[in-house]
Every structure is written in structure tokens, then in C-alpha cells.
Amino acid sequence: MKLNILTPGEIFSEEEVEKIIVEGVNGYFCLLPGHIDYVAAVVPGILFYTIAGGKEIFVAVDEGLLVKKDQE
């Protein structure tokens, strides 16, 4: 699925990912490509995702909104 990380002023990152793990108001959760469409508030912490080959990328986030729709 495609992950777009947006800041108020720019597109920070656009990548094809296999898995996303991030902390919401009720704790950490994981999104996989087959997951249903989803919206969640993100709290300050670490968002990490896996790209092809199993490499994990870690990104610090302040707060925000995660929206999963179809494969994006």
C-alpha cells in the first residue's frame, strides 16, 4: 500500500509499504494492505513502517490524523 506522510507545509514522504505501526489514543495499532478503511487520531510518538525486503523505517510524529482508504 502507499504511505504518504504530510506536514502542514510539504509532502514529507511517499513510499510503498508492507506494514504501518503507529500509536493512537487507545495504544499502538498495525495496518496491513488488506485492512478496512480506517481513520484514527495519532498521538506523539514513533510511527514505523516496513518496506520491501523487510527494512523498517522509524519516524517521530507530534500528532495528527491517519487515514487509510483503499490501498493508500
Side-chain angles (χ1 to χ4, degrees):
M1 71 187 147
K2 184 175 180 183
L3 171 65
N4 298 316
I5 301 176
L6 309 173
T7 67
E10 66 182 342
I11 297 172
F12 177 78
S13 175
E14 291 181 285
E15 293 198 58
E16 288 294 323
V17 301
E18 297 177 347
K19 175 173 61 174
I20 301 167
I21 299 175
V22 65
E23 187 175 5
V25 294
N26 294 318
Y28 281 92
F29 61 93
C30 175
L31 293 176
L32 298 169
H35 200 283
I36 63 170
D37 292 350
Y38 193 77
V39 176
V42 174
V43 299
I46 302 295
L47 174 147
F48 53 102
Y49 56 93
T50 305
I51 59 175
K55 181 177 179 184
E56 290 185 329
I57 309 292
F58 298 84
V59 179
V61 295
D62 184 12
E63 62 184 3
L65 190 62
L66 180 137
V67 178
K68 185 202 181 281
K69 180 158 175 31
D70 298 325
Q71 290 299 309
E72 190 168 331

